[in-house]
Amino acid sequence: MKINKKSSLNLSHGELQEIFDNIYLVTGAMNIKGRLPLCFSRNMTVIREGNHLTLINSVRLNEAGLANLESLGSIKHVIRLAGFHGMDDPFYKERYGARIWSVNALYFKGVNFNIEIEDGYFRADENIGESTILPVKDAKPVCINTSNPKELLIRLEREGGILISGDSLQNWAEPDQYFNLPAKLMMRLMGFIKPCNIGPAWYKYAQPDSAELKKICDLKFEHLIPAHGSPVIGNAREKYLPAFNRI
Ligand SMILES: [Fe+2]
């Protein structure tokens, strides 16, 4: 089988945990190379409907992790919420033939925004807009169109409303086991280590319009499952209000 070189083979991860009925979470490592390599955590959310699985914020799992995932159902869809994410989407396309649904943003490396469409390393099957019917029946996209690259969240109409975020809404109250020492120190200084937080690097580089971002407060959501940090279970909208008031 052809292995995608840009995917995160060999990065460690934990076990799939069921956090709501038919909604699973797995946390794994992410590595940013550089003079001072930073290692921190990211989450993949898995939604099961019947025998079909949809992966959100994909994280490549090791063979044992993939076997566990396969025991839940067939991997049919992958949804990419964050323009800065997506490196493992090609792996799930190649290995499982999953249909790839993406925020309308190029797949690119780094933070260079002056790139042309042919510079993208991968193309999704579907670009998601406001009116896209997602492959999860009670899921609706929440688009942040003023950010560059664009960003999405998904709202599930269950359990009082569940928001699933990419880089926009994060919840690292403390560094977890996947942080290396440089990340523990630097990311605290950079403002990442804060509960119910707006992703500071995403906010700085993608420059979303604050008024558009604050519209998230108009949504009803009891819970939030972020790509970075722990799930916020219960009263999530109210817990994020201070972060929205800071911008
Ligand atoms: Fe991220």
Side-chain angles (χ1 to χ4, degrees):
M1 178 192 308
K2 198 172 89 185
I3 298 295
N4 187 287
K5 293 189 179 68
K6 289 187 178 67
S7 75
S8 59
L9 182 65
N10 297 328
L11 288 177
S12 61
H13 64 79
E15 299 286 328
L16 280 160
Q17 311 273 355
E18 188 169 20
I19 56 172
F20 293 101
D21 285 350
N22 293 309
I23 300 179
Y24 299 79
L25 190 74
V26 56
T27 301
M30 178 66 199
N31 232 335
I32 303 280
K33 296 194 177 94
R35 264 190 302 171
L36 206 55
L38 297 179
C39 192
F40 50 88
S41 63
R42 58 185 177 142
N43 302 321
M44 172 165 75
T45 301
V46 179
I47 301 177
R48 177 167 64 180
E49 283 189 318
N51 185 41
H52 289 183
L53 303 183
T54 297
L55 314 183
I56 302 171
N57 300 318
S58 76
V59 170
R60 181 171 177 174
L61 304 182
N62 59 30
E63 288 301 321
L66 290 171
N68 285 337
L69 191 58
E70 289 168 21
S71 74
L72 297 177
S74 340
I75 299 160
K76 291 288 186 190
H77 302 280
V78 170
I79 301 179
R80 174 185 181 231
L81 302 180
F84 291 119
H85 287 211
M87 67 190 288
D88 291 331
D89 292 1
F91 168 76
Y92 285 103
K93 178 81 188 169
E94 283 174 18
R95 177 142 170 177
Y96 296 99
R99 188 158 188 80
I100 311 291
W101 305 66
S102 175
V103 61
N104 192 0
L106 279 183
Y107 283 80
F108 67 102
K109 293 178 83 178
V111 288
N112 175 16
F113 305 116
N114 299 314
I115 50 174
E116 304 295 332
I117 195 150
E118 58 269 20
D119 296 329
Y121 63 82
F122 182 66
R123 286 206 192 170
D125 299 303
E126 302 274 353
N127 284 321
I128 299 171
E130 314 274 356
S131 56
T132 300
I133 309 290
L134 294 170
V136 175
K137 68 174 185 312
D138 63 344
K140 292 236 165 47
V142 178
C143 300
I144 304 175
N145 290 318
T146 54
S147 73
N148 180 24
K150 291 183 182 183
E151 181 82 10
L152 278 180
L153 301 90
I154 284 178
R155 184 176 176 280
L156 301 177
E157 183 70 50
R158 63 178 94 168
E159 310 277 356
I162 301 175
L163 268 191
I164 305 174
S165 63
D167 280 325
S168 59
L169 302 186
Q170 306 184 356
N171 185 41
W172 273 318
E174 286 299 331
D176 56 40
Q177 65 191 92
Y178 298 99
F179 279 65
N180 64 0
L181 186 60
K184 278 182 189 171
L185 299 173
M186 287 182 58
M187 291 177 72
R188 190 180 292 279
L189 285 174
M190 292 161 74
F192 281 95
I193 310 304
K194 213 176 265 182
C196 299
N197 199 17
I198 291 172
W202 171 75
Y203 189 69
K204 178 176 175 185
Y205 290 109
Q207 300 191 332
D209 178 67
S210 59
E212 187 187 28
L213 200 51
K214 285 179 181 184
K215 284 189 188 159
I216 294 173
C217 301
D218 298 340
L219 301 170
K220 185 169 174 281
F221 60 100
E222 243 335 270
H223 317 287
L224 180 126
I225 308 174
H228 296 300
S230 312
V232 180
I233 307 297
N235 221 16
R237 180 187 168 276
E238 280 65 32
K239 289 174 182 168
Y240 272 90
L241 286 179
F244 286 110
N245 289 333
R246 286 196 292 269
I247 59 172

PDB file of all heavy atoms in Angstrom, residues 168-188:
ATOM      1  N   SER A 168     -10.266  26.919  16.570  1.00  0.00           N
ATOM      2  CA  SER A 168     -10.869  28.168  17.059  1.00  0.00           C
ATOM      3  C   SER A 168     -11.122  28.150  18.561  1.00  0.00           C
ATOM      4  O   SER A 168     -10.735  29.079  19.264  1.00  0.00           O
ATOM      5  CB  SER A 168     -12.176  28.450  16.304  1.00  0.00           C
ATOM      6  OG  SER A 168     -13.095  27.387  16.463  1.00  0.00           O
ATOM      7  N   LEU A 169     -11.762  27.120  19.065  1.00  0.00           N
ATOM      8  CA  LEU A 169     -12.051  27.031  20.494  1.00  0.00           C
ATOM      9  C   LEU A 169     -11.250  25.864  21.073  1.00  0.00           C
ATOM     10  O   LEU A 169     -11.366  24.730  20.596  1.00  0.00           O
ATOM     11  CB  LEU A 169     -13.556  26.835  20.738  1.00  0.00           C
ATOM     12  CG  LEU A 169     -14.479  27.921  20.167  1.00  0.00           C
ATOM     13  CD1 LEU A 169     -15.922  27.681  20.607  1.00  0.00           C
ATOM     14  CD2 LEU A 169     -14.043  29.322  20.586  1.00  0.00           C
ATOM     15  N   GLN A 170     -10.433  26.156  22.061  1.00  0.00           N
ATOM     16  CA  GLN A 170      -9.531  25.150  22.637  1.00  0.00           C
ATOM     17  C   GLN A 170      -9.781  25.041  24.136  1.00  0.00           C
ATOM     18  O   GLN A 170     -10.459  25.896  24.723  1.00  0.00           O
ATOM     19  CB  GLN A 170      -8.069  25.542  22.377  1.00  0.00           C
ATOM     20  CG  GLN A 170      -7.791  25.803  20.897  1.00  0.00           C
ATOM     21  CD  GLN A 170      -6.335  26.114  20.564  1.00  0.00           C
ATOM     22  OE1 GLN A 170      -5.488  26.221  21.450  1.00  0.00           O
ATOM     23  NE2 GLN A 170      -6.049  26.256  19.280  1.00  0.00           N
ATOM     24  N   ASN A 171      -9.211  24.020  24.760  1.00  0.00           N
ATOM     25  CA  ASN A 171      -9.424  23.864  26.210  1.00  0.00           C
ATOM     26  C   ASN A 171      -8.265  23.116  26.867  1.00  0.00           C
ATOM     27  O   ASN A 171      -8.442  22.035  27.413  1.00  0.00           O
ATOM     28  CB  ASN A 171     -10.752  23.135  26.472  1.00  0.00           C
ATOM     29  CG  ASN A 171     -11.075  23.058  27.957  1.00  0.00           C
ATOM     30  OD1 ASN A 171     -10.869  24.019  28.694  1.00  0.00           O
ATOM     31  ND2 ASN A 171     -11.560  21.913  28.415  1.00  0.00           N
ATOM     32  N   TRP A 172      -7.082  23.706  26.786  1.00  0.00           N
ATOM     33  CA  TRP A 172      -5.936  23.159  27.502  1.00  0.00           C
ATOM     34  C   TRP A 172      -5.830  23.869  28.857  1.00  0.00           C
ATOM     35  O   TRP A 172      -5.189  24.922  28.971  1.00  0.00           O
ATOM     36  CB  TRP A 172      -4.646  23.420  26.726  1.00  0.00           C
ATOM     37  CG  TRP A 172      -4.266  22.419  25.697  1.00  0.00           C
ATOM     38  CD1 TRP A 172      -4.325  21.062  25.776  1.00  0.00           C
ATOM     39  CD2 TRP A 172      -3.694  22.706  24.397  1.00  0.00           C
ATOM     40  NE1 TRP A 172      -3.846  20.490  24.624  1.00  0.00           N
ATOM     41  CE2 TRP A 172      -3.448  21.472  23.767  1.00  0.00           C
ATOM     42  CE3 TRP A 172      -3.378  23.889  23.726  1.00  0.00           C
ATOM     43  CZ2 TRP A 172      -2.896  21.375  22.494  1.00  0.00           C
ATOM     44  CZ3 TRP A 172      -2.825  23.805  22.461  1.00  0.00           C
ATOM     45  CH2 TRP A 172      -2.585  22.555  21.853  1.00  0.00           C
ATOM     46  N   ALA A 173      -6.461  23.315  29.875  1.00  0.00           N
ATOM     47  CA  ALA A 173      -6.336  23.925  31.212  1.00  0.00           C
ATOM     48  C   ALA A 173      -4.912  23.757  31.724  1.00  0.00           C
ATOM     49  O   ALA A 173      -4.375  24.626  32.398  1.00  0.00           O
ATOM     50  CB  ALA A 173      -7.325  23.294  32.176  1.00  0.00           C
ATOM     51  N   GLU A 174      -4.311  22.627  31.415  1.00  0.00           N
ATOM     52  CA  GLU A 174      -2.916  22.333  31.766  1.00  0.00           C
ATOM     53  C   GLU A 174      -2.308  21.529  30.620  1.00  0.00           C
ATOM     54  O   GLU A 174      -3.033  20.836  29.910  1.00  0.00           O
ATOM     55  CB  GLU A 174      -2.844  21.510  33.061  1.00  0.00           C
ATOM     56  CG  GLU A 174      -3.140  22.288  34.335  1.00  0.00           C
ATOM     57  CD  GLU A 174      -2.166  23.442  34.589  1.00  0.00           C
ATOM     58  OE1 GLU A 174      -0.999  23.350  34.159  1.00  0.00           O
ATOM     59  OE2 GLU A 174      -2.595  24.446  35.193  1.00  0.00           O
ATOM     60  N   PRO A 175      -0.974  21.565  30.456  1.00  0.00           N
ATOM     61  CA  PRO A 175      -0.357  20.683  29.454  1.00  0.00           C
ATOM     62  C   PRO A 175      -0.618  19.225  29.821  1.00  0.00           C
ATOM     63  O   PRO A 175      -0.653  18.885  31.002  1.00  0.00           O
ATOM     64  CB  PRO A 175       1.141  21.000  29.579  1.00  0.00           C
ATOM     65  CG  PRO A 175       1.221  22.315  30.267  1.00  0.00           C
ATOM     66  CD  PRO A 175       0.009  22.402  31.154  1.00  0.00           C
ATOM     67  N   ASP A 176      -0.830  18.377  28.833  1.00  0.00           N
ATOM     68  CA  ASP A 176      -1.057  16.958  29.114  1.00  0.00           C
ATOM     69  C   ASP A 176       0.195  16.148  28.800  1.00  0.00           C
ATOM     70  O   ASP A 176       1.262  16.701  28.548  1.00  0.00           O
ATOM     71  CB  ASP A 176      -2.302  16.458  28.356  1.00  0.00           C
ATOM     72  CG  ASP A 176      -2.182  16.712  26.861  1.00  0.00           C
ATOM     73  OD1 ASP A 176      -1.075  16.523  26.316  1.00  0.00           O
ATOM     74  OD2 ASP A 176      -3.191  17.106  26.235  1.00  0.00           O
ATOM     75  N   GLN A 177       0.058  14.835  28.813  1.00  0.00           N
ATOM     76  CA  GLN A 177       1.221  13.940  28.677  1.00  0.00           C
ATOM     77  C   GLN A 177       1.936  14.049  27.330  1.00  0.00           C
ATOM     78  O   GLN A 177       3.056  13.569  27.185  1.00  0.00           O
ATOM     79  CB  GLN A 177       0.782  12.490  28.890  1.00  0.00           C
ATOM     80  CG  GLN A 177      -0.170  12.017  27.795  1.00  0.00           C
ATOM     81  CD  GLN A 177      -0.834  10.691  28.112  1.00  0.00           C
ATOM     82  OE1 GLN A 177      -1.916  10.639  28.676  1.00  0.00           O
ATOM     83  NE2 GLN A 177      -0.165   9.610  27.762  1.00  0.00           N
ATOM     84  N   TYR A 178       1.272  14.649  26.330  1.00  0.00           N
ATOM     85  CA  TYR A 178       1.866  14.721  24.990  1.00  0.00           C
ATOM     86  C   TYR A 178       2.757  15.961  24.794  1.00  0.00           C
ATOM     87  O   TYR A 178       3.384  16.113  23.762  1.00  0.00           O
ATOM     88  CB  TYR A 178       0.770  14.667  23.920  1.00  0.00           C
ATOM     89  CG  TYR A 178       0.017  13.367  23.983  1.00  0.00           C
ATOM     90  CD1 TYR A 178      -1.217  13.283  24.622  1.00  0.00           C
ATOM     91  CD2 TYR A 178       0.578  12.197  23.468  1.00  0.00           C
ATOM     92  CE1 TYR A 178      -1.890  12.070  24.722  1.00  0.00           C
ATOM     93  CE2 TYR A 178      -0.086  10.986  23.563  1.00  0.00           C
ATOM     94  CZ  TYR A 178      -1.318  10.929  24.203  1.00  0.00           C
ATOM     95  OH  TYR A 178      -1.967   9.735  24.304  1.00  0.00           O
ATOM     96  N   PHE A 179       2.774  16.853  25.789  1.00  0.00           N
ATOM     97  CA  PHE A 179       3.610  18.052  25.679  1.00  0.00           C
ATOM     98  C   PHE A 179       5.054  17.719  26.044  1.00  0.00           C
ATOM     99  O   PHE A 179       5.312  17.077  27.072  1.00  0.00           O
ATOM    100  CB  PHE A 179       3.122  19.135  26.659  1.00  0.00           C
ATOM    101  CG  PHE A 179       1.942  19.929  26.172  1.00  0.00           C
ATOM    102  CD1 PHE A 179       0.711  19.331  25.973  1.00  0.00           C
ATOM    103  CD2 PHE A 179       2.050  21.296  25.936  1.00  0.00           C
ATOM    104  CE1 PHE A 179      -0.385  20.067  25.542  1.00  0.00           C
ATOM    105  CE2 PHE A 179       0.974  22.039  25.504  1.00  0.00           C
ATOM    106  CZ  PHE A 179      -0.249  21.425  25.308  1.00  0.00           C
ATOM    107  N   ASN A 180       6.002  18.173  25.213  1.00  0.00           N
ATOM    108  CA  ASN A 180       7.402  18.110  25.630  1.00  0.00           C
ATOM    109  C   ASN A 180       7.731  19.391  26.414  1.00  0.00           C
ATOM    110  O   ASN A 180       6.902  20.313  26.513  1.00  0.00           O
ATOM    111  CB  ASN A 180       8.346  17.881  24.440  1.00  0.00           C
ATOM    112  CG  ASN A 180       8.333  19.027  23.440  1.00  0.00           C
ATOM    113  OD1 ASN A 180       7.626  20.006  23.621  1.00  0.00           O
ATOM    114  ND2 ASN A 180       9.120  18.898  22.385  1.00  0.00           N
ATOM    115  N   LEU A 181       8.928  19.440  26.978  1.00  0.00           N
ATOM    116  CA  LEU A 181       9.263  20.559  27.851  1.00  0.00           C
ATOM    117  C   LEU A 181       9.214  21.913  27.126  1.00  0.00           C
ATOM    118  O   LEU A 181       8.614  22.862  27.651  1.00  0.00           O
ATOM    119  CB  LEU A 181      10.641  20.328  28.494  1.00  0.00           C
ATOM    120  CG  LEU A 181      11.030  21.364  29.547  1.00  0.00           C
ATOM    121  CD1 LEU A 181      10.035  21.381  30.712  1.00  0.00           C
ATOM    122  CD2 LEU A 181      12.442  21.081  30.071  1.00  0.00           C
ATOM    123  N   PRO A 182       9.800  22.021  25.905  1.00  0.00           N
ATOM    124  CA  PRO A 182       9.702  23.327  25.225  1.00  0.00           C
ATOM    125  C   PRO A 182       8.252  23.767  25.013  1.00  0.00           C
ATOM    126  O   PRO A 182       7.919  24.944  25.183  1.00  0.00           O
ATOM    127  CB  PRO A 182      10.403  23.077  23.880  1.00  0.00           C
ATOM    128  CG  PRO A 182      11.330  21.941  24.147  1.00  0.00           C
ATOM    129  CD  PRO A 182      10.637  21.075  25.159  1.00  0.00           C
ATOM    130  N   ALA A 183       7.383  22.816  24.674  1.00  0.00           N
ATOM    131  CA  ALA A 183       5.973  23.178  24.454  1.00  0.00           C
ATOM    132  C   ALA A 183       5.316  23.601  25.766  1.00  0.00           C
ATOM    133  O   ALA A 183       4.518  24.547  25.795  1.00  0.00           O
ATOM    134  CB  ALA A 183       5.222  22.009  23.823  1.00  0.00           C
ATOM    135  N   LYS A 184       5.652  22.890  26.861  1.00  0.00           N
ATOM    136  CA  LYS A 184       5.063  23.266  28.156  1.00  0.00           C
ATOM    137  C   LYS A 184       5.409  24.721  28.489  1.00  0.00           C
ATOM    138  O   LYS A 184       4.561  25.483  28.936  1.00  0.00           O
ATOM    139  CB  LYS A 184       5.625  22.380  29.274  1.00  0.00           C
ATOM    140  CG  LYS A 184       4.958  21.046  29.391  1.00  0.00           C
ATOM    141  CD  LYS A 184       5.557  20.268  30.556  1.00  0.00           C
ATOM    142  CE  LYS A 184       5.026  18.845  30.531  1.00  0.00           C
ATOM    143  NZ  LYS A 184       5.681  17.958  31.462  1.00  0.00           N
ATOM    144  N   LEU A 185       6.667  25.080  28.262  1.00  0.00           N
ATOM    145  CA  LEU A 185       7.104  26.436  28.627  1.00  0.00           C
ATOM    146  C   LEU A 185       6.602  27.469  27.624  1.00  0.00           C
ATOM    147  O   LEU A 185       5.983  28.466  27.996  1.00  0.00           O
ATOM    148  CB  LEU A 185       8.640  26.479  28.688  1.00  0.00           C
ATOM    149  CG  LEU A 185       9.274  25.536  29.715  1.00  0.00           C
ATOM    150  CD1 LEU A 185      10.792  25.521  29.576  1.00  0.00           C
ATOM    151  CD2 LEU A 185       8.873  25.935  31.135  1.00  0.00           C
ATOM    152  N   MET A 186       6.861  27.206  26.349  1.00  0.00           N
ATOM    153  CA  MET A 186       6.563  28.234  25.340  1.00  0.00           C
ATOM    154  C   MET A 186       5.074  28.424  25.122  1.00  0.00           C
ATOM    155  O   MET A 186       4.603  29.551  24.961  1.00  0.00           O
ATOM    156  CB  MET A 186       7.230  27.875  24.017  1.00  0.00           C
ATOM    157  CG  MET A 186       8.735  28.097  24.079  1.00  0.00           C
ATOM    158  SD  MET A 186       9.508  27.743  22.523  1.00  0.00           S
ATOM    159  CE  MET A 186       8.646  28.876  21.446  1.00  0.00           C
ATOM    160  N   MET A 187       4.342  27.325  25.128  1.00  0.00           N
ATOM    161  CA  MET A 187       2.913  27.466  24.826  1.00  0.00           C
ATOM    162  C   MET A 187       2.162  28.121  25.982  1.00  0.00           C
ATOM    163  O   MET A 187       1.157  28.780  25.776  1.00  0.00           O
ATOM    164  CB  MET A 187       2.327  26.125  24.406  1.00  0.00           C
ATOM    165  CG  MET A 187       2.890  25.718  23.034  1.00  0.00           C
ATOM    166  SD  MET A 187       2.369  24.124  22.439  1.00  0.00           S
ATOM    167  CE  MET A 187       0.645  24.416  22.020  1.00  0.00           C
ATOM    168  N   ARG A 188       2.708  27.973  27.207  1.00  0.00           N
ATOM    169  CA  ARG A 188       2.103  28.727  28.313  1.00  0.00           C
ATOM    170  C   ARG A 188       2.348  30.223  28.093  1.00  0.00           C
ATOM    171  O   ARG A 188       1.431  31.038  28.214  1.00  0.00           O
ATOM    172  CB  ARG A 188       2.675  28.265  29.652  1.00  0.00           C
ATOM    173  CG  ARG A 188       1.924  28.837  30.843  1.00  0.00           C
ATOM    174  CD  ARG A 188       2.500  28.363  32.153  1.00  0.00           C
ATOM    175  NE  ARG A 188       2.323  26.950  32.429  1.00  0.00           N
ATOM    176  CZ  ARG A 188       1.210  26.391  32.909  1.00  0.00           C
ATOM    177  NH1 ARG A 188       0.153  27.153  33.164  1.00  0.00           N
ATOM    178  NH2 ARG A 188       1.148  25.093  33.148  1.00  0.00           N
TER     179      ARG A 188
END
